[in-house]
Coordinates of all heavy atoms in Angstrom, one line a residue:
V39 N 93.8 75.2 77.4 CA 92.9 76.2 78.1 C 91.7 75.4 78.5 O 91.0 74.8 77.8 CB 92.5 77.3 77.1 CG1 91.5 78.2 77.7 CG2 93.7 78.0 76.6
E40 N 91.4 75.5 79.9 CA 90.3 74.9 80.5 C 89.0 75.8 80.1 O 88.0 75.3 79.7 CB 90.4 74.8 82.0 CG 89.3 74.3 82.7 CD 89.1 72.8 82.5 OE1 90.1 72.1 82.3 OE2 87.9 72.4 82.6
S41 N 89.2 77.2 80.4 CA 88.1 78.1 80.1 C 88.7 79.5 80.1 O 89.7 79.8 80.6 CB 87.0 78.0 81.1 OG 87.4 78.3 82.4
V42 N 87.9 80.4 79.5 CA 88.2 81.8 79.5 C 86.9 82.5 80.1 O 85.8 82.2 79.6 CB 88.5 82.4 78.1 CG1 88.6 83.9 78.2 CG2 89.7 81.8 77.6
R43 N 87.0 83.3 81.1 CA 85.9 84.0 81.8 C 86.0 85.5 81.5 O 87.0 86.1 81.9 CB 85.8 83.6 83.2 CG 85.6 82.1 83.4 CD 85.6 81.8 84.9 NE 85.7 80.3 85.1 CZ 85.8 79.7 86.2 NH1 85.8 80.4 87.3 NH2 85.9 78.4 86.2
I44 N 84.9 86.0 81.0 CA 84.9 87.5 80.8 C 83.8 88.0 81.6 O 82.6 87.7 81.5 CB 84.6 87.8 79.3 CG1 85.7 87.1 78.4 CG2 84.6 89.3 79.0 CD1 85.4 87.1 76.9
A45 N 84.1 88.9 82.6 CA 83.2 89.6 83.4 C 82.7 90.9 82.7 O 83.5 91.6 82.2 CB 83.8 89.9 84.8
V46 N 81.4 91.1 82.7 CA 80.8 92.2 82.1 C 79.9 93.0 83.2 O 79.1 92.4 83.8 CB 79.9 91.8 80.9 CG1 79.3 93.0 80.2 CG2 80.7 91.0 79.9
D47 N 80.3 94.3 83.3 CA 79.6 95.0 84.3 C 78.1 95.0 84.1 O 77.6 95.1 83.0 CB 80.0 96.5 84.2 CG 79.5 97.3 85.3 OD1 80.0 97.3 86.5 OD2 78.5 98.1 85.1
A48 N 77.3 94.6 85.2 CA 75.9 94.4 85.1 C 75.1 95.7 84.8 O 74.1 95.6 84.1 CB 75.4 93.9 86.5
A49 N 75.6 96.8 85.2 CA 74.9 98.1 85.0 C 75.2 98.7 83.6 O 74.4 99.2 82.9 CB 75.1 99.1 86.1
D50 N 76.5 98.8 83.3 CA 77.0 99.5 82.1 C 77.4 98.7 81.0 O 77.8 99.2 79.9 CB 78.1 100.5 82.6 CG 77.5 101.6 83.5 OD1 76.7 102.4 82.9 OD2 77.8 101.6 84.6
R51 N 77.4 97.3 81.1 CA 77.7 96.4 80.1 C 79.1 96.6 79.4 O 79.3 96.4 78.2 CB 76.7 96.5 79.0 CG 75.2 96.5 79.4 CD 74.8 95.0 79.7 NE 73.4 94.8 79.8 CZ 72.7 94.9 81.0 NH1 73.3 95.3 82.1 NH2 71.4 94.6 81.0
V52 N 80.1 96.9 80.3 CA 81.4 97.0 79.8 C 82.3 95.9 80.4 O 82.1 95.5 81.5 CB 82.1 98.4 80.1 CG1 81.4 99.5 79.4 CG2 82.1 98.6 81.6
P53 N 83.2 95.3 79.6 CA 84.1 94.3 80.2 C 84.9 94.8 81.3 O 85.5 95.9 81.2 CB 84.9 93.8 79.0 CG 84.4 94.5 77.8 CD 83.5 95.6 78.2
T54 N 85.0 94.1 82.4 CA 85.7 94.6 83.6 C 86.9 93.6 84.0 O 87.8 94.0 84.7 CB 84.8 94.8 84.7 OG1 84.1 93.6 85.0 CG2 83.9 96.0 84.5
R55 N 86.8 92.3 83.5 CA 87.9 91.4 83.8 C 87.9 90.3 82.8 O 86.8 89.8 82.4 CB 87.7 90.9 85.2 CG 88.8 89.9 85.7 CD 88.6 89.4 87.1 NE 87.4 88.5 87.1 CZ 86.8 88.2 88.2 NH1 87.2 88.6 89.4 NH2 85.7 87.3 88.2
V56 N 89.1 89.8 82.5 CA 89.3 88.5 81.7 C 90.2 87.6 82.5 O 91.2 88.0 83.0 CB 89.9 88.8 80.3 CG1 90.1 87.6 79.6 CG2 88.9 89.8 79.5
Q57 N 89.8 86.4 82.6 CA 90.6 85.3 83.3 C 90.7 84.2 82.3 O 89.7 83.7 81.7 CB 89.9 84.8 84.5 CG 89.7 85.9 85.6 CD 88.9 85.3 86.7 OE1 87.8 84.8 86.5 NE2 89.4 85.4 87.9
V58 N 91.9 83.6 82.2 CA 92.2 82.4 81.4 C 92.7 81.3 82.4 O 93.6 81.5 83.1 CB 93.3 82.7 80.4 CG1 93.6 81.4 79.6 CG2 92.9 83.8 79.4
F59 N 92.0 80.2 82.4 CA 92.3 79.1 83.2 C 92.9 78.0 82.4 O 92.4 77.6 81.4 CB 91.0 78.6 83.9 CG 90.5 79.5 84.9 CD1 89.6 80.5 84.6 CD2 90.8 79.4 86.3 CE1 89.1 81.4 85.5 CE2 90.3 80.3 87.2 CZ 89.4 81.3 86.8
A60 N 94.0 77.5 82.9 CA 94.7 76.4 82.3 C 94.2 75.0 82.8 O 93.7 74.9 83.9 CB 96.2 76.4 82.5
V61 N 94.2 74.0 81.9 CA 93.8 72.7 82.3 C 94.7 72.2 83.5 O 95.9 72.3 83.5 CB 94.0 71.7 81.1 CG1 93.7 70.3 81.5 CG2 93.1 72.1 80.0
G62 N 94.0 71.7 84.5 CA 94.7 71.1 85.7 C 95.1 72.1 86.7 O 95.9 71.7 87.6
H63 N 94.8 73.4 86.6 CA 95.2 74.4 87.5 C 94.1 75.2 88.1 O 93.2 75.6 87.3 CB 96.3 75.3 86.9 CG 97.5 74.7 86.5 ND1 98.6 74.4 87.4 CD2 97.9 74.1 85.3 CE1 99.5 73.7 86.8 NE2 99.2 73.6 85.5
E64 N 94.1 75.4 89.4 CA 92.9 76.1 90.0 C 93.0 77.6 89.8 O 92.0 78.2 89.3 CB 92.9 75.8 91.5 CG 91.7 76.4 92.3 CD 90.3 75.9 91.8 OE1 90.2 74.8 91.3 OE2 89.4 76.8 91.8
P65 N 94.0 78.3 90.1 CA 94.0 79.8 90.0 C 94.2 80.1 88.5 O 94.7 79.3 87.7 CB 95.2 80.3 90.7 CG 96.2 79.1 90.8 CD 95.3 77.9 90.8
P66 N 93.7 81.3 88.1 CA 93.8 81.7 86.6 C 95.3 81.8 86.2 O 96.2 82.2 87.0 CB 93.2 83.1 86.6 CG 92.6 83.4 87.9 CD 93.1 82.4 88.9
A67 N 95.6 81.3 85.0 CA 97.0 81.5 84.5 C 97.2 82.9 84.1 O 98.3 83.3 84.1 CB 97.1 80.5 83.3
L68 N 96.1 83.6 83.7 CA 96.2 85.0 83.3 C 94.9 85.7 83.8 O 93.8 85.2 83.7 CB 96.3 85.1 81.8 CG 96.2 86.5 81.2 CD1 97.5 87.3 81.5 CD2 96.0 86.5 79.8
E69 N 95.1 86.9 84.4 CA 94.0 87.6 84.8 C 94.3 89.1 84.6 O 95.3 89.6 85.1 CB 93.7 87.4 86.3 CG 92.5 88.1 86.8 CD 92.1 87.7 88.3 OE1 92.7 86.9 88.9 OE2 91.1 88.3 88.7
V70 N 93.4 89.8 83.9 CA 93.5 91.2 83.7 C 92.1 91.8 84.0 O 91.1 91.4 83.5 CB 93.9 91.5 82.2 CG1 93.9 93.0 82.0 CG2 95.1 90.9 81.9

Side-chain angles (χ1 to χ4, degrees):
V39 175
E40 179 74 30
S41 66
V42 175
R43 299 178 190 176
I44 303 169
V46 178
D47 187 80
D50 292 293
R51 310 284 194 268
V52 295
T54 54
R55 182 179 67 197
V56 175
Q57 297 173 305
V58 179
F59 290 84
V61 172
H63 296 278
E64 182 63 31
L68 172 73
E69 180 172 3
V70 177

